[in-house]
Amino acid sequence: MMALGLSRDAVPVPPYAALKSGALSVICIEDDLASTPRDRMALQLGGSRALSCFLPFAPTALPDAERALSWCEARQEEIVALLTQLDDGRQITLTCGINDAPVTTETDSGAGWLRQKAQRKQARQQQAQELRQWVEAMCADLPVRDIADEHGAGVLRLHLLIGAADAPDVLAQLHARLAEDGKGRATGLQLTLTGPWPAYNFTNLGAAA
């Protein structure tokens, strides 16, 4: 069996199974039901809805159940503290395409190429900072507990931590505010809002695999 994540709930609903480890349970699934990352994310999403608290492993690298159980036994206090901190937290993700600002630096030498690369990096960082400030202002009156950044090639993801009960309303309000704001249309940014997900980007425990 594969381990999808951890919970304080001992008896999940089918098709999930649980292996007890002190105050915690390792939530597991049969291997043939979780053959792809997409399948695993769907199962983790279902687990987060069925359980009162759920701490997911990365869907791209799920450990087997016995290895996860041993890993969990060695980190009981740390995991319980994180579950308490996250409580019933869910994650909503805003994905923003980051544009490379045009740079006029000459590139006929190594030094010129390095200057251009540094300027583009600085421009991306500035754009990412402005996007975060814009999202923080948009969420100022919403019950958002925390915001985490994730930078990739040409993309910035802003992950919002929200209570499970608040997540549907917050998601609807954010969709409406994005449509009204017009920032994406005005700047040419590609903005995509998804969720609610398990709190993947707020579980900094490392890998159990």
Side-chain angles (χ1 to χ4, degrees), residues 83-171:
L83 279 168
T84 300
Q85 175 187 338
L86 290 176
D87 191 16
D88 61 346
R90 299 293 185 271
Q91 175 178 310
I92 291 175
T93 297
L94 177 64
T95 302
C96 312
I98 301 294
N99 298 323
D100 274 332
V103 180
T104 58
T105 301
E106 70 280 0
T107 57
D108 56 350
S109 68
W113 182 84
L114 289 172
R115 282 196 299 271
Q116 185 180 66
K117 184 177 180 181
Q119 288 173 350
R120 286 187 172 174
K121 180 180 179 181
Q122 185 177 11
R124 284 195 299 270
Q125 290 174 338
Q126 177 65 28
Q127 189 176 32
Q129 182 180 359
E130 292 173 356
L131 281 168
R132 179 175 177 124
Q133 291 171 347
W134 169 64
V135 170
E136 288 175 345
M138 184 168 55
C139 296
D141 63 336
L142 298 177
V144 175
R145 300 177 185 174
D146 197 5
I147 300 178
D149 297 344
E150 181 188 1
H151 295 260
V155 69
L156 169 69
R157 293 183 180 89
L158 295 171
H159 307 289
L160 315 180
L161 183 64
I162 298 158
D166 295 321
D169 183 59
V170 170
L171 186 61

